[in-house]
Amino acid sequence: MRILLVEDDAKLSQPMGVALREDGYVVDIVGSKSAALAAVDTVGYDLAVLDIGLPDGTGFDVVQHMRSRNSAIPVLILTARDGVEDKVHGLDLGADDYLVKPVALKELAARARALIRRGHCGSGPMLRAGGLDLDTVGRQAFHQGQPLPLTAREWGALEYLAARAGRIVAKEQLLQALCGWDNDVTVNAVEMIVHRLRAKVECCGVNIRTVRGLGYLLERDDRP
Ligand code: CA
């Protein structure tokens, strides 16, 4: 899962980035409106965290831009303590939630989890794929109550595909979800990750199909 963090103060963005990465997210940090617009137009994010005051505009401009392009990516805005007007304005423009600065890192991580969850499955922290139960908070897959050993990237791929079960996910899209800008993972590496993941989850009734020329499809298990 990949998060865009827009904050021009590095003293604030740095610890927020660390906290979110520790939670297993891929995090891209930018410090201006123009960089934020370019990022949301090119990368498929699972969440955007937006500061309001930016050197070349505002976080409001970014929400407005996203919503005008029918982007449904969840948005969390960062507001000042006395920023009641900012909160109202942000929510009216289509932000989903807000946090008051200075941000408590644990709260940021919890809000991020909740928003991403709502964005993908509209429900609780557990995802189901075939015979696997995915605990998206503990980042662990279980088969018949037993934890299934997965590497961090295998887990990331499984969670991403399971949240989009029944839909085709392009390799490029999965690549973007698994690595940030400063990380040169290749499409070949993604293929290897999926190859190993597939071997591990096959026996748990999870079928990850390769759709030639298009990407991967985790088949939706509609059996009762
Ligand atoms: Ca600022």
Side-chain angles (χ1 to χ4, degrees), residues 7-9 51 53-54 101:
E7 165 64 68
D8 56 316
D9 186 344
D51 181 31
L54 299 169
K101 296 213 274 186

Side-chain angles (χ1 to χ4, degrees), residues 67-99:
R67 296 307 183 232
S68 73
R69 296 182 164 224
N70 294 321
S71 160
I73 298 167
V75 170
L76 174 66
I77 53 172
L78 307 174
T79 67
R81 188 176 300 280
D82 53 356
V84 178
E85 295 296 317
D86 282 353
K87 288 171 202 164
V88 173
H89 188 46
L91 295 172
D92 281 347
L93 285 175
D96 300 277
D97 200 357
Y98 63 85
L99 264 182

Side-chain angles (χ1 to χ4, degrees), residues 192-224:
M192 286 308 298
I193 292 164
V194 172
H195 179 77
R196 284 195 303 266
L197 173 64
R198 184 185 279 137
K200 288 186 182 180
V201 300
E202 240 167 20
C203 59
C204 311
V206 180
N207 190 11
I208 302 172
R209 262 176 56 199
T210 300
V211 185
R212 207 167 287 281
L214 292 175
Y216 299 109
L217 173 71
L218 191 146
E219 287 185 314
R220 191 185 287 282
D221 185 7
D222 287 332
R223 286 165 297 176

Side-chain angles (χ1 to χ4, degrees), residues 152-196:
R153 286 217 161 110
E154 287 165 2
W155 161 265
L158 177 62
E159 184 188 29
Y160 196 85
L161 292 170
R164 293 158 181 80
R167 281 181 280 161
I168 293 171
V169 173
K171 280 178 194 170
E172 188 61 31
Q173 197 183 340
L174 192 54
L175 176 71
Q176 285 187 0
L178 292 179
C179 58
W181 288 327
D182 41 359
N183 215 319
D184 52 321
V185 175
T186 61
V187 168
N188 287 353
V190 170
E191 287 172 358
M192 286 308 298
I193 292 164
V194 172
H195 179 77
R196 284 195 303 266

Side-chain angles (χ1 to χ4, degrees), residues 3-6 40 45-50 66 73-77:
I3 297 176
L4 176 67
L5 173 56
V6 183
V40 295
Y45 288 103
D46 301 285
L47 173 70
V49 180
L50 307 175
M66 291 168 68
I73 298 167
V75 170
L76 174 66
I77 53 172

